[in-house]
Amino acid sequence: MKKLLLVLSLLVGLNSVALNATGTKHVSHGDVNTEFTLEQLAKYDGKNGNKAYVAVDGVVYDVTNAEYWKNGTHVPTEGKLQAGIDATEVIKKSPHGKKVLAELPVVGKLKK
Ligand code: HEM
């Protein structure tokens, strides 16, 4: 019986590794149904240990540990783009467009 349990738990373990390896690219942490008002979003500015969140098309993304973001500032914009805002219009004008969003954890949505 013990052996059977061991084999079963090994299989479950292997399965979850496989799922992780092939799983969807879209990362999501926490409750994606969390709603943020613009006022609440503004607190996630990446400063003083705050997390850094940015909204695009009503979805709130976590850029705290994102490449090219440092303490809530999007480095290539030389300080012009800060976290804590709705950047829907800004990203339209960026060289990379929305494809970069697929790599970011989703943390919620913007309250309408
Ligand atoms: C989440 C919302 C984001 C917005 C609104 C945004 C916006 C922008 C804007 C406006 C620029 C142009 C800067 C300038 O030349 O003045 C830019 C550049 C750049 N961004 Fe973003 N960005 C976002 C996320 C990201 C992410 C997650 C990455 C990392 C993969 C990234 C990587 C870059 C890079 C490498 C550049 C330099 C130009 C290039 O090589 O494409 N951005 N971004």
Side-chain angles (χ1 to χ4, degrees), residues 54 56 61 63 66-69 74 76-78 80-81 87-88 90-91 93-97 100-101 103-104:
V54 174
V56 175
Y61 298 91
V63 293
E67 220 184 330
Y68 300 105
W69 288 81
H74 191 24
T77 68
E78 290 164 355
K80 272 181 258 162
L81 177 55
T88 305
V90 182
I91 204 162
K93 292 173 191 136
S94 69
H96 48 66
V100 291
L101 299 176
E103 307 291 333
L104 299 174

Side-chain angles (χ1 to χ4, degrees), residues 64-76:
T64 311
N65 301 310
E67 220 184 330
Y68 300 105
W69 288 81
K70 207 168 190 321
N71 301 324
T73 300
H74 191 24
V75 180

Side-chain angles (χ1 to χ4, degrees), residues 18-87:
L19 274 179
N20 279 340
T22 56
T24 56
K25 237 181 146 191
H26 212 98
V27 223
S28 80
H29 294 169
D31 181 5
V32 294
N33 291 317
T34 304
E35 290 200 329
F36 296 83
T37 61
L38 281 176
E39 199 185 1
Q40 287 165 335
L41 183 65
K43 294 183 185 131
Y44 296 90
D45 60 359
K47 307 276 177 276
N48 308 313
N50 294 337
K51 286 188 164 283
Y53 293 171
V54 174
V56 175
D57 294 332
V59 179
V60 179
Y61 298 91
D62 187 347
V63 293
T64 311
N65 301 310
E67 220 184 330
Y68 300 105
W69 288 81
K70 207 168 190 321
N71 301 324
T73 300
H74 191 24
V75 180
T77 68
E78 290 164 355
K80 272 181 258 162
L81 177 55
Q82 300 288 332
I85 63 154
D86 180 355

